Amino acid sequence: MIRKFVVRVNGKEYVVEVEELGAQVQQSVQVSQPTQPVQSTQQVAAGPTQQMQRTSAPSTTPTTPTVPTTPTAPSSSGTSAGAKIVAPMSGVILKILVGEGQKVEYGQKVLILEAMKMENDIVADKPGVIKKILVKEGDNVDTGQIMIELE
C-alpha cells in the first residue's frame, strides 16, 4: 500500500510517499522540491535477525557556508564597506534592535533570533552604519540569509 503525505517545513511543501510490501517492509521516501528531488529508501527484513539497508541519492543541493555565531575582530580601518550580517541558523526574528542609518559598534546587539525555543543575540561583527534592514519581526530566516547590510 502506498500512502502520500504533504509535509510543510519552514513554509516549503514536500510530498512524501510511504510504501509497505508483504513480509518485508520497505519505506520509500521521495522529497520533491522545485529545484532538486531527493530520494531515500529504507528496507527492514522481518525475522529473528533484522537487517537494515539504507540507500540515499547523493545530495546535489548546494551547501551553505558555516557562519560563526561569535563576532570576529574589528577591521583595522574602523569601518566596513558593504559588510553584511547573516543568520547563523534558521529561526524567527523576534526583535530588531537597530534602525536604518544608525551607527553600530563591534559586538553591539542588532537583533534577537529565536531558534529551537532559544533566544539568540545577533551582534554586529564589524562597526559601521546600518544601510538596509532586509527582515522584519516575525520573519522566518534560513541559515546564511542576509538580514542587515552595513556601509
Side-chain angles (χ1 to χ4, degrees):
M1 171 179 12
I2 296 177
R3 300 175 79 186
K4 289 186 179 185
F5 300 93
V6 175
V7 180
R8 286 186 189 92
V9 179
N10 288 335
K12 296 178 183 175
E13 287 189 356
Y14 303 91
V15 177
V16 180
E17 290 183 357
V18 179
E19 181 178 358
E20 184 176 331
L21 302 173
Q24 282 193 346
V25 177
Q26 177 181 356
Q27 292 180 336
S28 177
V29 178
Q30 292 183 345
V31 180
S32 301
Q33 286 184 333
T35 55
Q36 297 288 337
V38 178
Q39 182 174 6
S40 174
T41 303
Q42 178 180 8
Q43 291 184 348
V44 178
T49 61
Q50 295 211 350
Q51 300 173 350
M52 184 185 297
Q53 180 181 35
R54 173 177 272 166
T55 58
S56 294
S59 176
T60 57
T61 56
T63 58
T64 54
T66 305
V67 180
T69 56
T70 57
T72 57
S75 63
S76 58
S77 63
T79 62
S80 55
K84 294 169 178 49
I85 298 174
V86 298
M89 64 194 84
S90 297
V92 177
I93 304 295
L94 287 183
K95 187 163 184 146
I96 298 175
L97 305 171
V98 294
E100 290 183 7
Q102 180 178 342
K103 183 177 180 183
V104 293
E105 298 298 324
Y106 165 77
Q108 179 179 340
K109 279 196 259 184
V110 293
L111 58 86
I112 300 172
L113 175 73
E114 180 184 306
M116 297 184 293
K117 304 289 182 190
M118 294 181 62
E119 293 183 3
N120 299 283
D121 295 332
I122 306 300
V123 298
D125 55 352
K126 294 182 169 72
V129 176
I130 304 293
K131 179 180 178 182
K132 188 165 188 168
I133 300 174
L134 302 169
V135 294
K136 61 182 183 303
E137 292 179 8
D139 280 357
N140 286 318
V141 294
D142 292 324
T143 304
Q145 180 178 337
I146 299 170
M147 299 182 294
I148 296 176
E149 292 179 352
L150 297 173
E151 46 181 35

